[in-house]
Amino acid sequence: KITLAGESIAAVQSNEEALRELLNVSPLQLASGTGEWTVEVSKADGEKSERCWHWETTVGAHSEHKTLCHRCVEAIQAA
């Protein structure tokens, strides 16, 4: 979870997915605050996807790919 000063959050939110990938975190939560930025790290819910190693709650949801998250299933089906 990243808490940002009010005016900074809009710029960061427009690039949230890219920031999540850059930081290599599973879920990313942005919050509006005052003052300096703060970062809080905690264990993600779900299980680790065998392909991307992100911890996702969708791992096991696809009957043919029990060890993959929804993003990985979409990626291999598009290939």
Side-chain angles (χ1 to χ4, degrees), residues 7 15 21 39 46 54 57 61 71:
E7 61 276 353
N15 295 298
E21 289 294 328
V39 176
H54 283 199
T57 57
R71 292 177 349 126

Side-chain angles (χ1 to χ4, degrees), residues 9-30:
I9 196 165
V12 174
Q13 281 178 324
S14 65
N15 295 298
E16 185 173 349
E17 184 61 23
L19 179 60
R20 185 179 82 82
E21 289 294 328
L22 177 68
L23 296 174
N24 196 27
V25 295
S26 296
L28 175 63
Q29 182 182 15
L30 300 175

Side-chain angles (χ1 to χ4, degrees), residues 17-68:
E17 184 61 23
L19 179 60
R20 185 179 82 82
E21 289 294 328
L22 177 68
L23 296 174
N24 196 27
V25 295
S26 296
L28 175 63
Q29 182 182 15
L30 300 175
S32 182
T34 58
E36 296 196 23
W37 291 26
T38 61
V39 176
E40 178 184 330
V41 179
S42 59
K43 185 180 181 307
D45 292 333
E47 296 180 42
K48 184 167 70 170
S49 179
E50 189 174 73
R51 180 176 175 268
C52 70
W53 287 29
H54 283 199
W55 288 78
E56 302 286 345
T57 57
T58 59
V59 172
H62 194 277
S63 61
E64 293 179 33
H65 304 286
K66 292 286 188 186
T67 61
L68 302 180

